[in-house]
Structures are given as structure tokens and as C-alpha cells.
Amino acid sequence: MSEGYPDIRLRRLRQSPQVRRMLDRPFPGPERFLWPVFVVPGSGVCEPIDAMPGQCRYSVDQLIEALKPVAAMGISGVLIFGLAEESAKDATGTAAFDPTGPVHAAVRAIRNAYPNLLVFTDVCVCAYTSHGHCGPLTDDGVVNNDASNAVLANVAVSHAEAGAHGVAPSAMMDGQVAAIRGALEAAGFMDTILMSYSTKFASAMYGPFRDAEKSAPQSGDRKGYQASYGDLATALRESDLDEAEGADILMVKPSLFYLDVLTRLREGTDLPIAAYNVSGEYAMLIATADRGWGDLYSMVRESITALDRAGADIIISYWANQYEKVAGVRC
Ligand code: PBG
Ligand code: ZN
């Protein structure tokens, strides 16, 4: 038996499209994707987001229209983000649990129009607080962890009441999963899926999203609550703790810069894992393609394959509304 070349020629295993097709893992199907969407008050609104070409802020009626091709492609569902009028923002973010708000209206409308789509909601208050942080502040101006948990629990229950299949807390407060799970149980929502943004990093890759959501903090940053990308051990503990607190699905966010975290989590848990392919990861490929420096959907397909290979079960991606173009790239 030879230990290597010339008896071993690995090129045999990739010599033709037919051989590669037989050996390559299949590209993830549309059922693996959730499409993050932005909803605003009003009607007739379909406002393109400058920093995220291909994505819009929709009023509920326009979102229902935009979902037609997405549902037809077989995408599993949506993750809903809401925007509030500046005048509705306050120090606590109470508009986030107003049942007449656009998120709640979107949940009801999607459940009604698309009975096969899964509806997840983002549970946070940064788009609803006057200061733009993910929870109410203490007198010292830092986010008050335990007060935030009470608010997040209210938001989650209000989304479940509107009909959300799942709630996805993204505020990175300690104990938020336990608080939300307890509140859902107490309100009788034992079937609501809790998809925790369990390992969410303080990342510079959220810029386009904050533009879309108009949710950048007025002062300071989120480094005191979102995970530090230099500290892998604590980042992994974040997900371990959320599992212990009753999360049904874990998440890594951002994802493409954190494939090692995905893989480590995959080895350490039997829970489903979601990869959030964030706004900056979306925008950077578009910017590269716009300059003529790469073929857009080839780059996208390669990046999504990386998420799948690293261990993601669910892929939360703005590419979901362009799924057919991504999956259709010739390999
Ligand atoms: C806010 C939230 C953010 C994202 C999802 N929920 C931004 C932030 O934490 O500042 C980012 C999503 C993206 O960049 O695509 N809780
Ligand atoms: Zn937030």
C-alpha cells in the first residue's frame, strides 16, 4: 500500500461536475432558512434600506406582498423586527409590547395569510428606547439587567399572544431566557419556541442593521452586555447557560466570522443551532460585487455552505428572499 502520490491522486475525487455533485454535501434547502424582516407602522410603505440593497422596511400590507415569492420558494419563515415612531420611544421601550404595534400586526397578518410560514419575533427594546440601548438604564447609565428582563418577558408574552410560533431574545441580559420561559409558562404559552441569541457578540458587523432599524445607541456601545469576541470561553458559557435556562434553539451571531464558535457549540450541544448571517456580512458581499471584485451569488453560496459545514441547522439570512439565485449558482 502506497502512502501517497502517485497512487493517491485526490484530483480523481473532483475531476468532473458529476463526481463533485456525488460527493459534495447538498446545499441547504430553503426549509433551513429564516428571513429577517423590518416592519414599520402605516400602510403602503416599502422603503429600500440604503445599506442593505435588496431589503426594505415594510408596512404590514407590503410585507404580505413581499412574502409571496419567499413562501413560494419554501423558506421556513421570518424573524420580525419592528420600528417605532420617534415619538413612541421612551426610557423603558414600552412600545415594544404594545399589541397595536407593527410587529404584533405583522405576526397576526402573516399567520393569517401564510399558514405554513413560521413566525419568529426579535425580542429586544433597542428600537423602542429613547437612548437606543437594549433595556432600561440605571441612574449610572448602564443597562439595568434585571429590570430589562422584566420588560423582555412582557415583550415575549405580547408576541406569543399575537400568535408568534417563536420568540428570539437578543438583548444579551443575564437570565433573560429563564425570565422569558417562566413568563411564557405562566401565561399558558407552553408551545412557544424560545430561540435564544445565545452567543451574540458585540460586533462591528451590525452597522447596516442599525441603519435599517435606526437603533444605534445614542451614547456608548453594547460591549457591557454583548459577548466579547476575544473571550471564547465566556462566549461558549453564554450558550451553555441559555440551554440550562430552557432555550429550545441556540444561536451564534454574527456567524461568518465565528465559524469556530459554531463548530464548538455543535460539538457541545444537541440543541438545534441557528447561525445569524448579519447585515454587515450581507453588505460586504454586495459591496465587493458592486466593485466588480467578485460574482455575488457565487460568494453568497460559498459563505452559506460554510455556515452549514460549521454546524448550523437554521440559517437566518437576508439572502433568504434571494434563495433561488443562491442555490442556482452553477458549481
Ligand atoms: C438588537 C439587534 C441587532 C441585530 C439583531 N438584533 C443589533 C445590535 O445588537 O446592535 C443585528 C442584526 C444584523 O446586523 O443583521 N438587539
Ligand atoms: Zn437590542
Side-chain angles (χ1 to χ4, degrees):
M1 262 299 255
S2 164
E3 300 284 305
Y5 172 86
D7 301 288
I8 296 175
R9 290 176 181 268
L10 295 182
R11 287 181 54 183
R12 283 196 286 266
L13 293 178
R14 52 178 185 265
Q15 60 182 283
S16 68
Q18 291 76 16
V19 175
R20 293 194 295 273
R21 177 171 168 270
M22 175 176 73
L23 293 178
D24 284 358
R25 64 193 295 135
F27 188 73
E31 71 283 355
R32 303 268 300 278
F33 286 76
L34 293 176
W35 184 37
V37 294
F38 302 96
V39 281
V40 295
S43 66
V45 185
C46 175
E47 189 185 358
I49 299 165
D50 288 343
M52 302 176 71
Q55 306 299 318
C56 296
R57 297 181 199 92
Y58 297 105
S59 54
V60 172
D61 58 315
Q62 295 299 304
L63 175 60
I64 294 298
E65 287 301 305
L67 278 169
K68 241 178 231 166
V70 175
M73 281 189 271
I75 298 300
S76 272
V78 293
L79 173 60
I80 304 176
F81 293 90
L83 280 92
E85 312 280 8
E86 278 311 310
S87 59
K89 297 186 181 183
D90 63 18
T92 310
T94 42
F97 53 87
D98 175 354
T100 67
V103 170
H104 304 75
V107 172
R108 291 187 293 264
I110 298 169
R111 290 293 313 261
N112 188 44
Y114 301 100
N116 294 325
L117 282 185
L118 292 173
V119 180
F120 287 83
T121 56
D122 182 81
V123 173
C124 200
V125 292
C126 46
Y128 304 89
T129 50
S130 39
H131 44 74
H133 279 286
C134 300
L137 307 179
T138 65
D139 293 341
D140 306 330
V142 301
V143 177
N144 183 332
N145 189 90
D146 299 4
S148 300
N149 285 343
V151 178
L152 295 167
N154 283 340
V155 176
V157 170
S158 76
H159 291 172
E161 280 167 350
H165 296 100
V167 293
S170 64
M172 287 299 285
M173 295 301 126
D174 286 322
Q176 65 180 13
V177 168
I180 290 170
R181 176 58 81 205
L184 288 171
E185 278 293 320
F189 293 108
M190 61 281 278
D191 290 328
T192 304
I193 299 169
L194 204 166
M195 175 167 73
S196 175
Y197 286 66
S198 53
T199 296
K200 174 177 176 182
F201 291 97
S203 172
M205 300 304 285
Y206 304 150
F209 173 96
R210 291 181 188 173
D211 174 45
E213 274 274 281
K214 301 173 184 156
S215 64
Q218 299 290 307
S219 66
D221 53 40
R222 304 205 207 288
K223 292 187 176 124
Y225 41 106
Q226 298 179 345
S228 180
Y229 59 76
D231 181 357
L232 176 63
T234 306
L236 294 172
R237 290 176 73 200
E238 286 286 354
S239 280
D240 294 346
L241 275 176
D242 285 7
E243 177 165 356
E245 287 180 27
D248 299 300
I249 302 174
L250 302 178
M251 192 194 299
V252 176
K253 177 187 170 190
S255 53
L256 289 173
F257 287 6
Y258 298 92
L259 297 175
D260 59 329
V261 180
L262 265 175
T263 301
R264 285 287 299 270
L265 269 191
R266 176 73 295 153
E267 288 162 356
T269 183
D270 291 320
L271 263 55
I273 302 173
Y276 197 134
N277 181 206
V278 302
S279 60
E281 297 172 334
Y282 177 79
M284 74 180 175
L285 296 188
I286 295 174
T288 302
D290 277 354
R291 294 180 175 207
W293 294 343
D295 176 67
L296 180 59
Y297 290 107
S298 300
M299 293 189 286
V300 175
R301 193 181 192 281
E302 188 172 335
S303 66
I304 299 289
T305 299
L307 298 178
D308 175 55
R309 206 177 54 230
D313 298 297
I314 300 164
I315 297 164
I316 302 171
S317 178
Y318 304 101
W319 298 114
N321 71 336
Q322 299 148 69
Y323 176 82
E324 281 173 350
K325 286 185 179 142
V326 182
V329 168
R330 287 179 55 152
C331 304

